[in-house]
Amino acid sequence: MLGEAVSPVGRTRTAPAPDMLPRRLKLAVASCQHWEFGHYAAHRHIAQAAPDLVAFLGDYIYEWGPYQLQHPARAIRTSESFTLDQYRARYAQYKTDRDLQAAHHAAPWIVTWDDHEVANDYAGDIDERLSSDFAARRAAAYQAFYEHMPLRLPPLRAGLKSMRMYQRYDWGRLARFHVLDDRQYRSPLACPKPGRGGSNVVLARACAELRDPRRTMLGEEQEAWLVQGLSTSRARWNILAQQTPLAQSSGVPVRSAEDGRFWTDGWDGYPLARRRLLDTLVNSGAGNPLVLAGDVHTFYASELRRDFTRPVSKANPVLAPEFCGTSVTSSSRPQARTQENVERNPHMLYGRSDRRGYMLLEITPETSQVHFMALDDVRDARSGQARLASFALDNRSVRIARA
Ligand SMILES: [Fe+2]
């Protein structure tokens, strides 16, 4: 309550003491909630599931302007966000949704951001239009994010040039969350279209930048922070809560390290930085790494390995499981193309892009379960849901089993 304004009562959770081993953690994972593409029924189901924590992996808002939808599910906004007032208005709009409010009332949230909290496909201080005033726009977007999202950050400073988002959360000794920021410090996207800064789809052999070891996704400081967080972790499960899939996703068959056709905005655009991250996971000795991702509006279950171009072997073992959640509302591609993708990329065990929803994880000291939860119809605010697929993890193995 502040003055005459009364907030509804929500529920939070206090994390277990550092030396406790809780018997169970229920975690909901969501991302990508483009307003015009549907209703937030996924959030109503998240609230009803009564999770201990919600992890939101980016694209909480979409900054862009009028969207050319023939049959939008909800009112279309008319202008793209550039200024602080415009970003604030967008959060205000999104947060009017009762189901989104319910998910915030149900549990504490762990959040990171992706590009659309600021601008499509931005990388560090460069946007896809190569705008000279992008720094001011980014500062406005960061401030609006800070003002509207549940964050554990120091007080806001005026004229925000940067904002440290990456952080750790411990759930007793059961789980340590390493929450990453893959936008603020990344190198410019590789091999963009002429005169542009955004993403592209390139043949690996035609883009030498992909093989430049100086290119980074997390930045040097965050990489060092992650090494430290993993190597000091006593947690049973080390959960990487981050934006976009690590699993390689080639648009053509891959027979050698020079092969492949990749979208440059994801980890496929930063393959050597990805390899450093995977090496860190292994060399740190951290228990049971578990990678979460969003961004691509598709459910994926994948087994990560150091060299995606070679089969699993003693020299090229599975290093960690990765689960990518679909979008809350944002649109995706037809399932037939996703199925082709799964067949072309053998480390992908499952892919489903024709359904919207979220992930539900049940983590216990010995085993964990991951459920892909799908809405019947994203255009229906009262939509029911169904469990599309479930996977089981055992703390003595990094392999994924169908449950
Ligand atoms: Fe998205």
Side-chain angles (χ1 to χ4, degrees), residues 235-271:
R236 282 287 172 96
W237 302 90
N238 280 279
I239 301 175
L240 258 55
Q242 54 97 49
Q243 292 85 348
T244 194
L246 283 160
Q248 181 171 286
S249 182
S250 172
V252 296
V254 176
R255 291 178 205 86
S256 81
E258 297 285 290
D259 273 348
R261 188 161 175 269
F262 300 113
W263 177 57
T264 54
D265 190 58
W267 279 100
D268 280 337
Y270 300 81

Side-chain angles (χ1 to χ4, degrees), residues 149-168:
M149 299 301 285
L151 296 166
R152 190 182 57 179
L153 292 174
L156 184 67
R157 284 166 293 110
L160 209 64
K161 295 239 165 33
S162 65
M163 192 164 104
R164 182 178 147 167
M165 276 284 302
Y166 58 87
Q167 49 190 316
R168 281 193 274 281

Side-chain angles (χ1 to χ4, degrees), residues 31-43:
S31 62
C32 299
Q33 48 189 27
H34 203 302
W35 177 269
E36 290 85 352
F37 279 90
H39 291 278
Y40 294 162
H43 283 300

Side-chain angles (χ1 to χ4, degrees), residues 31-34 58-59 62 114-116 294-297 327 330-331:
S31 62
C32 299
Q33 48 189 27
H34 203 302
D59 291 356
Y62 281 72
D114 198 18
D115 53 341
H116 289 288
D295 183 33
V296 294
H297 312 171
S327 54
S330 309
S331 66

Side-chain angles (χ1 to χ4, degrees), residues 63-350:
E63 85 295 354
W64 49 32
Y67 216 78
Q68 299 307 320
L69 285 181
Q70 250 188 338
H71 304 290
R74 308 205 244 192
I76 290 185
R77 287 192 59 94
T78 52
S79 60
E80 186 171 346
S81 294
F82 292 97
T83 66
L84 180 56
D85 282 348
Q86 288 170 325
Y87 283 109
R88 281 174 173 162
R90 196 146 299 211
Y91 284 98
Q93 179 196 30
Y94 279 54
K95 283 173 176 285
T96 57
D97 186 280
R98 292 293 167 125
D99 292 329
L100 178 57
Q101 291 174 8
H104 277 290
H105 297 162
W109 282 40
I110 287 176
V111 301
T112 187
W113 53 28
D114 198 18
D115 53 341
H116 289 288
E117 281 84 353
V118 181
N120 185 47
D121 282 358
Y122 88 93
D125 50 12
I126 295 175
D127 73 344
E128 64 177 343
R129 300 177 179 123
L130 303 176
S131 315
S132 57
D133 54 356
F134 181 64
R137 182 184 188 185
R138 195 182 89 160
Y142 282 10
Q143 181 172 341
F145 186 82
Y146 179 95
E147 290 172 350
H148 290 85
M149 299 301 285
L151 296 166
R152 190 182 57 179
L153 292 174
L156 184 67
R157 284 166 293 110
L160 209 64
K161 295 239 165 33
S162 65
M163 192 164 104
R164 182 178 147 167
M165 276 284 302
Y166 58 87
Q167 49 190 316
R168 281 193 274 281
Y169 297 92
D170 285 326
W171 199 259
R173 278 170 41 223
L174 181 59
R176 170 169 275 192
F177 290 86
H178 310 262
V179 184
L180 305 187
D181 174 359
D182 79 0
R183 281 287 157 194
Q184 193 171 179
Y185 315 104
R186 61 158 79 185
S187 306
L189 271 61
C191 305
K193 294 173 186 139
R196 300 278 291 173
S199 62
N200 203 352
V201 177
V202 297
L203 285 171
R205 74 172 72 84
C207 179
E209 254 183 274
L210 291 177
R211 290 174 289 281
D212 180 349
R214 292 166 302 182
R215 295 184 69 251
T216 179
M217 187 69 137
L218 302 178
E220 223 174 285
E221 250 177 66
Q222 186 177 191
E223 280 189 17
W225 165 88
L226 182 61
V227 169
Q228 195 214 359
L230 286 165
S231 53
T232 58
S233 175
R234 294 163 59 224
R236 282 287 172 96
W237 302 90
N238 280 279
I239 301 175
L240 258 55
Q242 54 97 49
Q243 292 85 348
T244 194
L246 283 160
Q248 181 171 286
S249 182
S250 172
V252 296
V254 176
R255 291 178 205 86
S256 81
E258 297 285 290
D259 273 348
R261 188 161 175 269
F262 300 113
W263 177 57
T264 54
D265 190 58
W267 279 100
D268 280 337
Y270 300 81
L272 297 181
R274 170 171 61 198
R275 188 165 282 186
R276 281 201 299 279
L277 178 71
L278 290 171
D279 286 344
T280 295
L281 275 184
V282 177
N283 298 339
S284 66
N288 301 298
L290 167 54
V291 180
L292 303 177
D295 183 33
V296 294
H297 312 171
T298 302
F299 286 117
Y300 279 122
S302 305
E303 293 186 323
L304 304 178
R305 51 181 105 141
R306 192 167 190 276
D307 186 347
F308 289 102
T309 64
R310 298 208 330 264
V312 173
S313 68
K314 234 182 185 159
N316 191 37
V318 172
L319 303 179
E322 176 177 76
F323 297 94
C324 179
T326 190
S327 54
V328 170
T329 55
S330 309
S331 66
S332 192
R333 56 185 172 185
Q335 176 59 18
R337 281 179 53 201
T338 298
Q339 193 50 42
E340 282 169 26
N341 214 33
V342 169
E343 280 154 27
R344 239 181 348 246
N345 293 278
H347 45 277
M348 292 178 174
L349 309 181
Y350 181 94

